[in-house]
Amino acid sequence: MMERELLEQLNIWHEQDEYNRIIEHIHNIPESDRSYELVGQLARAYNNTGRYREAIEQLLSVHEQGAYDPLWQYRLGYAYAYIASYDKALLAFERANELLPHDDSTLEFLEMLRPKAEKMQQDLQRYEAERDEWERRGTLNHLRAAPGTYAPASFWEQSDYAIDNHVSKPFDEEMIVSIERELGYKLPASYIQLMNTQNGGVPTLTAFPTQGATSWAEDHIAITSILGIGRDKMYSLGGEFGSRFMIEDWGYPDLGIVICDCPSAGHDVVMLDYRFCGPEGEPCVVHVDQEDDYEITYLAANFEAFVRGLVDPDTFEIFDEDEQDS
């Protein structure tokens, strides 16, 4: 099939929402034979199936040709926006607007992205300051799995429900490697240490203070469990309602690993966020709120800081009562 005819057919499939058919057809063409236009069509299909990282990989493979193409910039910005890389998305859409001014869709993305990119920059500054402090103290990833503060009897709530749905069987190094490969990120050492006390479950302390309001409360978020390392329980990293399920089926941004579920039954989660450190680094911890267009709220510089910052939710109820009395 001549390329012009092929591109016409791909556009027909696009209008018919046959995105996987587009991907399959272009995959059957050797990479060395794919033109710039075919790479763009493949990236568009990846974007429309939620495979944003693959779209970025394709687009960057032809970045020299795309640098002066507003459509290439738009597709790149779109992919970055949906993995919450708001800084890179903003740069791409600003460039698209320079090349093709006043496009309504581009302007809409720019309006949405500017406050998100600014907030992301503020979160990065906070992350770097808190990370540097942890490194200065030399205590990062020293969460003790031995009896003590994080012993199962004190950290984890024991119940039949937790055992049936959350507490996974003990794991080995092979399971860690397998889960990391599946999720695409290295698990923090402090998380692995905590899972050695009990592999997932319901903690006794379930609230974490925030500097701003979320859909849950004005000054804190709440969790219902911490996911364990495995696939055997519904609420484990690789389980039925695990990290990839929440990203692929619920639309959460692919910025890392869903690590905690929340009382909203899927409408907000806590995630390990690797945007500032890369897939092999030490992620910060964020709250992602589906009810507010997947708004991201920074919580802690690392998993250990998050665990140490958990408090009894009754603390906030007491504060509320005190404020009402006054």
Side-chain angles (χ1 to χ4, degrees), residues 293-317:
D293 193 26
Y294 300 101
E295 184 71 16
I296 298 169
T297 299
Y298 179 94
L299 300 176
N302 53 65
F303 179 77
E304 181 170 350
F306 173 73
V307 167
R308 293 186 182 277
L310 290 170
V311 298
D312 190 324
D314 289 343
T315 302
F316 295 98
E317 294 178 10

Side-chain angles (χ1 to χ4, degrees), residues 4-21:
R4 187 177 67 180
E5 295 175 351
L6 174 57
L7 290 172
E8 290 175 355
Q9 181 61 64
L10 294 178
N11 279 318
I12 291 171
W13 287 340
H14 176 79
E15 292 171 2
Q16 296 172 343
D17 297 339
E18 296 276 0
Y19 308 124
N20 287 318
R21 193 171 183 180

Side-chain angles (χ1 to χ4, degrees), residues 39 46 52-62 76:
V39 171
Y46 278 145
Y52 305 113
R53 294 189 183 278
E54 290 167 278
I56 291 167
E57 182 180 2
Q58 289 296 318
L59 291 165
L60 293 181
S61 73
V62 292
L76 184 65

Side-chain angles (χ1 to χ4, degrees), residues 69-259:
D69 179 357
L71 183 56
W72 182 91
Q73 296 285 355
Y74 182 97
R75 288 170 175 164
L76 184 65
Y78 185 97
Y80 276 132
Y82 280 94
I83 62 170
S85 290
Y86 299 128
D87 51 350
K88 294 178 180 178
L90 181 60
L91 287 174
F93 278 110
E94 286 177 338
R95 181 58 176 154
N97 190 50
E98 291 174 4
L99 295 166
L100 183 64
H102 311 306
D103 176 75
D104 288 344
S105 184
T106 298
L107 294 175
E108 185 177 335
F109 267 103
L110 285 171
E111 182 179 3
M112 179 269 289
L113 285 167
R114 283 175 177 136
K116 290 182 179 292
E118 182 179 355
K119 184 178 181 182
M120 183 178 174
Q121 182 60 33
Q122 293 169 354
D123 290 345
L124 173 59
Q125 292 172 354
R126 182 177 169 190
Y127 165 74
E128 290 177 337
E130 294 180 3
R131 178 202 61 194
D132 292 347
E133 177 62 20
W134 275 83
E135 291 179 352
R136 186 188 65 78
R137 297 203 313 252
T139 57
L140 183 59
N141 286 326
H142 284 68
L143 189 64
R144 299 303 181 188
T149 306
Y150 297 98
S154 60
F155 185 83
W156 298 106
E157 179 182 295
Q158 304 302 317
S159 69
D160 291 340
Y161 170 78
I163 292 171
D164 291 341
N165 298 283
H166 297 276
V167 183
S168 293
K169 60 185 178 182
F171 56 89
D172 56 18
E173 186 64 26
E174 183 178 350
M175 176 58 75
I176 294 174
V177 171
S178 174
I179 288 292
E180 289 179 336
R181 185 180 299 116
E182 176 183 325
L183 301 182
Y185 301 96
K186 183 176 178 60
L187 295 171
S190 57
Y191 167 72
I192 295 172
Q193 290 171 354
L194 182 61
M195 293 306 104
N196 274 317
T197 68
Q198 178 179 293
N199 192 13
V202 178
T204 56
L205 305 177
T206 57
F208 192 91
T210 59
Q211 293 185 355
T214 67
S215 62
W216 180 253
E218 291 293 320
D219 54 3
H220 70 284
I221 58 102
I223 64 172
T224 49
S225 75
I226 302 175
L227 279 60
I229 300 172
R231 301 181 178 89
D232 55 325
K233 296 299 173 72
M234 288 193 302
Y235 296 99
S236 56
L237 290 183
E240 182 182 356
F241 300 129
S243 183
R244 292 312 308 174
F245 171 80
M246 298 307 296
I247 291 169
E248 294 169 4
D249 287 62
W250 280 72
Y252 283 93
D254 189 4
L255 55 80
I257 300 172
V258 175
I259 203 73

